[in-house]
Amino acid sequence: MRTAIVWFRRDLRLTDNPALSAAVGEYDRVLPVFVWAPEEEGPWSPGSAQRWWLHKSLERLDEALGNAGSRLILRRGPSLEALKTVAAVTGADAVLWNRLYEPGARDRDSAVEEALRQAGLTTRTYSGSLLFEPPDIATGQGNPFRVFTPFWKACRATPGPRSPIPAPDSIPRPGDLPDSVPVAALDLMPCIRWYEGLEEAWRPGESGALSQLEAFVEGPVANYASRRDYPGLEGVSRMSPHLHFGEISPHSIWATVVSRSTSGGERGAEAFLRELGWREFAHHVLYHFPETPAKPMNDRFTGFPWREGPGEALEAWQGGRTGIPIVDAGMRQLWETGWMHNRVRMVVASLLVKNLLWSWKDGAAWFWDTLVDADLASNTMGWQWTAGCGADAAPYFRIFNPVIQGEKFDPDGGYVRRFVPELGCVPPRYLHKPWEMPESERRKIGFRLGADYPEPIVDLASSRKRALDAFQSIKGRAES
Ligand SMILES: Cc1cc2nc3c(=O)[nH]c(=O)nc-3n(C[C@H](O)[C@H](O)[C@H](O)COP(=O)(O)OP(=O)(O)OC[C@H]3O[C@@H](n4cnc5c(N)ncnc54)[C@H](O)[C@@H]3O)c2cc1C
């Protein structure tokens, strides 16, 4: 009897899971194992919102495996010890897994692979979470890409993503499965119930991912190109946490969007597939420049005088109390739901790194703890892009004006009113800049700036100039 362990990590699904399908196809008995070993991810162990999601997702995976005749074997790390123990008690001869691309995970995986081989086990790894493997895409000179458009052109010039693999009908198992710790014993759920908003907003797990995708392809995808920038509309897919935890593969999303694209909806579908391309690009960059979560990709920014560490302005930003409505709406959406619309992520990040001249690393750390989709590749790229120091970054002189952004992308104010209800009575023309409302009008509606809602913590015009001067001072330095 040949037995294989499938080591689940961020591929918490049965459909289009290459390691699982290979194990089911080639082995007599299959052991689905998940090892909780956050310390192995270095400084980037999952944040609070991700832990909440992981708890739920592991429960759903266990149920799905149960429906296929098996169950999830949960263990605490270290990963190598856990895998070796399960192999020893079950007589498994192979360990199969889908690859991860973060620097910490790659180091851990190569060490585990080497040690398992030395212990006489077969190891095999598969491509399950990216459409294009980072080492397979290169410039004409064989170098990694630093700019998105040629990267995406090179990806699209390949034969393209493979078709998704169907979920196995049943998973063969030994009569006795080894011990497993209950999900609750991993202590992923916070003691304080701050996650009620997350529970309302999301359905973690593979079936939640599939219904979310179904709702998207049935409606918003056709108008994605024109509506994706409006945070108050149902214009985007909200697939990011499902993708991060691998509850659905990008291949499944790609195939569904392509096959369901309607006549007239092609532009929306193509724009959406391009966004999946940004996810690929973020992983490509992180794979080739693994130091970027801690260091600007562009050396010119080394030593740039960003403020770091705790401080009042950072706390006001984190708490959605900056006095700038679109920023506060975004930060409160993040706190309440564990997610923020992409347009607003750019606006809140720009306020922090440019107007407040606060380090992008502090912003990235807050997102890391609070986002359900916190992803080392995309978060690092998003922050470095906004700060101007990353791959294909926004130029340093592009400083989002949050008032103009609010008026343009939340024209009826629905988004701001939803997350900042204390501005509910403010007339539309002042909603994105309540400080400009004359005192007489404020009195008429009983709105007290500074009491009901904060005065802005920063003057947008002078802070813009200060940022431009600071960025100008590094302009002459050689670019890396
Ligand atoms: C400062 C900042 C931080 C960010 N941090 C993260 C993060 O931690 N995790 C994360 O998944 N995304 C991050 N993003 C990218 C983007 O905001 C989210 O992927 C997107 O908002 C997720 O919502 P959605 O699934 O509805 O996206 P959709 O618009 O429906 O796009 C579909 C998918 O494409 C991918 N995608 C879209 N835009 C981007 C992008 N700019 N970069 C990389 N992938 C993209 C995502 O996987 C997304 O689920 C960040 C962006 C910024 C500006």
Side-chain angles (χ1 to χ4, degrees):
M1 292 287 259
R2 296 174 71 228
T3 304
I5 292 173
V6 175
W7 182 19
F8 280 85
R9 295 105 63 78
R10 287 208 310 280
D11 46 1
L12 306 177
R13 63 177 184 271
L14 269 51
T15 304
D16 197 40
N17 186 325
L20 177 66
S21 294
V24 170
E26 297 165 32
Y27 288 81
D28 304 304
R29 305 185 310 180
V30 174
L31 300 157
V33 174
F34 180 92
V35 187
W36 172 239
E39 61 291 345
E40 292 175 7
E41 315 218 12
W44 300 105
S45 68
S48 313
Q50 284 183 77
R51 286 176 188 231
W52 170 83
W53 189 289
L54 181 61
H55 177 106
K56 302 275 170 188
S57 196
L58 289 172
E59 288 179 338
R60 296 295 86 76
L61 178 64
D62 187 37
E63 281 164 22
L65 288 165
N67 294 337
S70 186
R71 101 169 135 66
L72 185 61
I73 301 155
L74 264 181
R75 291 285 169 113
R76 284 205 192 77
S79 298
L80 176 61
E81 301 318 313
L83 293 168
K84 275 169 120 177
T85 310
V86 174
V89 296
T90 58
D93 30 43
V95 185
L96 278 53
W97 66 84
N98 297 311
R99 291 189 278 280
L100 292 173
Y101 304 91
E102 290 80 4
R106 277 168 62 199
D107 290 348
R108 187 261 324 269
D109 290 358
S110 353
V112 167
E113 191 165 11
E114 178 62 29
L116 290 176
R117 282 194 184 155
Q118 279 183 10
L121 287 145
T122 301
T123 58
R124 278 165 50 196
T125 72
Y126 299 82
S127 164
S129 60
L130 290 179
L131 299 167
F132 304 97
E133 288 281 281
D136 295 350
I137 305 290
T139 64
Q141 294 71 45
N143 296 322
F145 283 98
R146 287 164 164 260
V147 178
F148 173 73
T149 303
F151 165 81
W152 194 229
K153 221 169 141 192
C155 294
R156 298 303 301 268
T158 68
R162 60 170 168 73
S163 302
I165 314 162
D169 292 330
S170 68
I171 298 171
R173 56 171 275 184
D176 285 333
L177 281 168
D179 295 343
S180 171
V181 296
V183 180
L186 301 181
D187 283 334
L188 297 170
M189 290 295 264
C191 324
I192 302 171
R193 286 184 66 85
W194 52 258
Y195 49 81
E196 275 153 358
L198 275 62
E199 281 186 335
E200 250 173 63
W202 301 100
R203 261 186 65 201
E206 185 169 8
S207 61
L210 288 171
S211 6
Q212 183 72 26
L213 178 62
E214 186 56 29
F216 180 63
V217 291
E218 273 296 300
V221 71
N223 297 311
Y224 179 81
S226 55
R227 292 164 65 106
R228 59 177 290 258
D229 274 320
Y230 294 82
L233 303 180
E234 293 293 321
V236 294
S237 72
R238 290 171 172 257
M239 292 308 296
S240 51
H242 298 293
L243 268 166
H244 174 74
F245 286 95
E247 297 169 349
I248 189 162
S249 76
H251 304 82
S252 295
I253 298 183
W254 185 281
T256 307
V257 168
V258 168
S259 69
R260 301 273 294 276
S261 167
T262 51
S263 123
E266 301 90 345
R267 212 176 127 242
E270 195 51 44
F272 176 75
L273 298 179
R274 193 178 159 86
E275 291 310 309
L276 288 182
W278 274 99
R279 175 176 180 270
E280 299 287 317
F281 183 52
H283 282 86
H284 179 85
V285 170
L286 180 62
Y287 180 90
H288 291 289
F289 304 96
E291 68 289 354
T292 48
K295 177 174 167 301
M297 184 155 170
N298 183 338
D299 285 344
R300 265 202 309 184
F301 285 80
T302 306
F304 183 83
W306 274 303
R307 276 193 69 178
E308 278 191 36
E312 267 180 36
L314 181 67
E315 275 175 30
W317 178 82
Q318 291 171 334
R321 287 179 283 99
T322 65
I324 299 162
I326 189 83
V327 172
D328 292 343
M331 298 307 291
R332 295 186 198 183
Q333 178 178 35
L334 174 60
W335 187 250
E336 278 174 47
T337 70
W339 182 88
M340 195 194 301
H341 187 278
N342 180 59
R343 168 64 43 183
V344 193
R345 291 189 202 204
M346 294 191 287
V347 174
V348 303
S350 173
L351 186 93
L352 188 73
V353 299
K354 292 188 172 168
N355 299 88
L356 295 170
L357 278 182
W358 215 284
S359 167
W360 60 272
K361 288 194 257 173
D362 284 329
W366 182 251
F367 270 29
W368 185 259
D369 199 35
T370 50
L371 275 173
V372 285
D373 67 18
D375 181 273
L376 196 56
S378 300
N379 199 36
T380 303
M381 164 162 286
W383 278 96
Q384 288 217 21
W385 182 91
T386 316
C389 60
D392 203 358
Y396 72 89
F397 52 80
R398 181 163 306 151
I399 299 179
F400 284 98
N401 179 320
V403 174
I404 296 174
Q405 291 287 314
E407 289 173 344
K408 189 164 174 198
F409 295 111
D410 184 31
D412 68 357
Y415 177 72
V416 161
R417 285 183 212 281
R418 174 166 169 216
F419 289 103
V420 191
E422 63 267 38
L423 290 175
C425 60
V426 172
R429 61 188 287 223
Y430 297 116
L431 185 67
H432 291 288
K433 45 185 178 197
W435 57 89
E436 283 192 10
M437 190 170 26
E439 184 58 42
S440 55
E441 289 206 37
R442 284 187 220 158
R443 237 182 277 123
K444 241 190 268 166
I445 59 167
F447 174 73
R448 295 160 308 154
L449 190 67
D452 297 328
Y453 182 68
E455 307 224 18
I457 59 166
V458 67
D459 176 71
L460 294 175
S462 59
S463 60
R464 179 175 195 278
K465 178 158 182 334
R466 187 181 57 166
L468 286 178
D469 291 345
F471 284 98
Q472 192 70 23
S473 69
I474 59 161
K475 200 175 161 202
R477 294 189 196 162
E479 200 162 330
S480 61

